[in-house]
Amino acid sequence: MDIFKIIDDFQKIDGDAAGRLEYATRRHFMNRISSKIAAVAVPTVFASIVNKAYAQSAAAVDVLNYALTLEYLEDEFYKAGNAAANLIPASDKAIFTQIGKHETQHVAFLVKALGTKAIAKPTFDFQYGGAFADIFTNYKTFVTVSSALEDTGVRAYKGQAGALLADPQILEYALQVHSVEARHAAVVRRLGATVLANPAMKGWITGNMGAVPAIYAGEDNMTQGGVNLKGLASKSDAAVTEAFDEPLTKEAVLAIAGPFIKK
Amino acid sequence: MNKIIKTKSNSENKEEEITSVVNRRLFLRSAGLATSLGTIVISACTTDDHDPNPQIPGTGDTVELGSGDVGVLNYAYALEQLEAAFYTQVIATPYAGMTDAERTILTDIRDHEIIHRDFFKAALGNGAIKGLTPNFSAIDFNSRTAVLGAAKLFEDTGVAAYNGAGKLIKNGDYLLLAGKIVSVEARHASVIRDLLNPKSADFAGDDIVDANGFDKAVAPADILTAVKGYVKDTISGANVGK
């Protein structure tokens, strides 16, 4: 067992571990190096530090970097969209300026929260491998992709809530961003109803209707908490599915976002 | 152990936090709560357990939401009751000049809130608080401005309430359920705000979203104070999430 290699690797995941290890080393390694109990005490102490760090930090760091990837994507998308000439009509500028502002703020917060653990900004291809070639010249395409990105963001944050149960403060931050993404999604979907001439497109998601099927897969779920809600309060299936937004796994989100990410 | 469970999580004190999480899990398991929502009937520690007519709306009663996750679910149920009652009234007595588009939106929202309300009631079973008696006497239901203003307040409050309650929830299944609902409330808030001030930045305005791009997260005590004037019963949420 190469403990220094492990410590080194481990520090890459959790910088705070270094401080705790230093403390443990001083106390148990240096003071008791000649003691008979050192052989058992050191691995025990090390294991407890590792467990603590993984439970408190690694999962959260993972979630935050995943969120940062998506926020980088959104931030770059709106920066390009808001800067593009003749793309967003004057009447809708205020909406996309506000959304862009929030995405920039989310990136800034996450970068600060993660510190040295923050991932580098990826390089993006907003044309999605050619599928959205007119992304910054055709407003319809822009609105479609914007609504898809926001709805994906809502599903992505929701899918990580459970992973943050042990990190209450980070969970709360994530929830506070999650609902802002939902506000964005709703207002862009309202724009979409007119811009895309699709009056069925409401602020909320009906069934699994959407421009990009993978993004809305599972949104037609009728079962909540193990109970099928069909016919609840004599409401329609459409209303039941609208009343609950569904999560997406990280794998599903990255599969959707993948073609946007070049590097 | 009680003392440890009640200790507020503090990121500075990770040892305590871990102990707290472990104790919470043990506590939940022993309380039979660590199972999926659909398979459980929650027995709550509410003072209404002995109410002979638990589903008859109260008039000025004290309603105890209960403790732990049950308390959080009852808290959500209480807020959904108010929202559902509000939009039911909005559709029953439409304000002057309500457009077809507005009626469609407000009917959709009404239905979502009724579904949320009835879902919580069913999920809580015997642990559910009784039906609350709303007090909307301060709202002029004939005025578009008054109705949409109240709707905005209710939706923003709902978002802040769910955001603030998230970290009080111990069971991951309940947390996900709250997450599934809060984003729909945020969609409502956004649309209502867009009706009030179309195509402006107000859908996620600087009055509600801070400089980090964060929505509000507000603790139950403050939310219950904020909605106090809209319900005749006195809601006690002192033990929610504890």
Side-chain angles (χ1 to χ4, degrees):
Chain A
M1 175 166 145
D2 182 356
I3 196 164
F4 293 105
K5 169 74 165 61
I6 290 170
I7 291 169
D8 190 46
D9 288 346
F10 187 68
Q11 273 183 254
K12 287 174 192 159
I13 300 167
D14 181 0
D16 295 339
R20 290 196 290 272
L21 280 168
E22 197 184 351
Y23 175 75
T25 306
R26 269 204 314 272
R27 193 164 155 209
H28 294 277
F29 235 114
M30 304 310 286
N31 292 353
R32 300 184 179 179
I33 193 74
S34 61
S35 161
K36 280 182 188 173
I37 66 162
V40 283
V42 170
T44 306
V45 167
F46 183 70
S48 76
I49 291 166
V50 171
N51 287 338
K52 187 181 294 184
Y54 270 103
Q56 295 300 315
S57 298
V61 167
D62 204 38
V63 171
L64 293 179
N65 265 323
Y66 166 54
L68 180 56
T69 306
L70 299 178
E71 296 290 356
Y72 271 139
L73 172 62
E74 290 184 315
D75 186 30
E76 290 285 295
F77 173 74
Y78 291 110
K79 276 186 174 137
N82 282 325
N86 307 316
L87 176 66
I88 301 171
S91 60
D92 301 352
K93 273 280 186 192
I95 288 175
F96 287 108
T97 302
Q98 185 77 349
I99 294 178
K101 182 174 88 177
H102 293 156
E103 310 302 7
T104 303
Q105 289 167 337
H106 294 164
V107 167
F109 175 82
L110 289 166
V111 166
K112 195 176 164 198
L114 282 158
T116 55
K117 287 170 253 174
I119 54 157
K121 182 164 70 182
T123 309
F124 297 110
D125 166 24
F126 292 111
Q127 297 193 353
Y128 210 70
F132 307 130
D134 57 358
I135 182 77
F136 296 123
T137 52
N138 182 339
Y139 190 49
K140 287 183 180 180
T141 308
F142 180 78
V143 168
T144 301
V145 173
S146 168
S147 68
L149 279 178
E150 298 297 341
D151 279 333
T152 304
V154 174
R155 300 193 71 176
Y157 274 98
K158 202 187 314 297
Q160 296 306 304
L164 297 174
L165 263 175
D167 293 276
Q169 191 52 62
I170 296 173
L171 169 65
E172 185 160 291
Y173 292 151
L175 287 170
Q176 289 177 274
V177 174
H178 170 246
S179 60
V180 170
E181 301 291 343
R183 287 176 188 264
H184 294 171
V187 81
V188 178
R189 292 175 65 88
R190 268 172 67 69
L191 280 180
T194 45
V195 172
L196 307 173
N198 180 8
M201 195 170 181
K202 302 171 174 181
W204 23 94
I205 301 167
T206 310
N208 60 0
M209 285 194 296
V212 188
I215 292 175
Y216 300 94
E219 281 286 2
D220 54 347
N221 176 35
M222 295 283 293
T223 300
Q224 302 299 344
V227 180
N228 190 324
L229 303 185
K230 193 174 180 63
L232 183 72
S234 305
K235 298 305 177 192
S236 66
D237 290 3
V240 170
T241 62
E242 288 168 358
F244 296 88
D245 278 343
E246 298 297 324
L248 271 182
T249 64
K250 189 176 177 179
E251 292 69 32
V253 170
L254 292 179
I256 292 165
F260 280 123
I261 302 169
K262 272 204 274 194
K263 183 215 80 144
Chain B
M1 182 164 156
N2 264 342
K3 193 181 169 195
I4 297 171
I5 291 171
K6 282 178 182 170
T7 302
K8 286 275 180 215
S9 295
N10 178 349
S11 56
E12 298 299 311
N13 196 337
K14 306 197 168 181
E15 188 107 42
E16 191 172 59
E17 199 166 357
I18 281 182
T19 316
S20 170
V21 167
V22 170
N23 281 333
R24 261 188 262 146
R25 289 208 180 116
L26 288 172
F27 175 77
L28 285 173
R29 198 170 298 146
S30 65
L33 286 176
T35 51
S36 77
L37 182 66
T39 59
I40 62 160
V41 175
I42 303 160
S43 65
C45 319
T46 69
T47 53
D48 297 316
D49 280 355
H50 306 295
D51 189 324
N53 301 301
Q55 298 308 326
I56 291 177
T59 47
D61 296 345
T62 294
V63 177
E64 169 61 46
L65 297 177
S67 61
D69 281 0
V70 172
V72 180
L73 296 180
N74 264 324
Y75 172 53
Y77 176 43
L79 296 175
E80 297 292 354
Q81 284 191 50
L82 288 183
E83 289 188 309
F86 170 73
Y87 288 105
T88 298
Q89 184 68 43
V90 169
I91 297 303
T93 56
Y95 54 75
M98 186 185 284
T99 66
D100 288 348
E102 288 170 353
R103 188 189 306 268
T104 300
I105 287 168
L106 294 165
T107 304
D108 276 3
I109 298 178
R110 177 199 66 183
D111 288 351
H112 302 161
E113 307 298 9
I114 287 175
I115 288 164
H116 292 164
R117 180 195 67 195
D118 285 16
F119 167 71
F120 279 117
K121 185 181 175 184
L124 281 154
N126 292 334
I129 57 167
K130 65 181 170 187
L132 300 172
T133 306
N135 174 13
F136 298 138
S137 58
I139 302 166
D140 176 3
F141 282 91
N142 194 42
S143 156
R144 180 181 187 271
T145 309
V147 166
L148 294 183
K152 170 175 139 177
L153 175 74
F154 284 135
E155 298 298 346
D156 283 339
T157 302
V159 172
Y162 277 102
N163 282 349
K167 67 180 178 189
L168 303 176
I169 300 174
K170 282 105 181 168
N171 179 304
D173 293 334
Y174 300 158
L175 177 61
L176 178 58
L177 272 168
K180 289 180 178 202
I181 292 173
V182 65
S183 56
V184 174
E185 302 292 347
R187 289 173 190 271
H188 293 167
S190 176
V191 170
I192 294 288
R193 282 167 161 266
D194 196 51
L195 287 179
L196 278 165
N197 195 357
K199 296 203 173 189
S200 69
D202 282 5
F203 65 96
D206 295 348
D207 61 316
I208 199 87
V209 178
D210 72 16
N212 282 320
F214 285 12
D215 224 318
K216 289 190 190 302
V218 178
D222 296 325
I223 294 288
L224 291 175
T225 302
V227 301
K228 209 172 168 180
Y230 297 104
V231 57
K232 287 186 175 160
D233 316 79
T234 302
I235 304 174
S236 166
N239 296 314
V240 167
K242 291 177 188 166

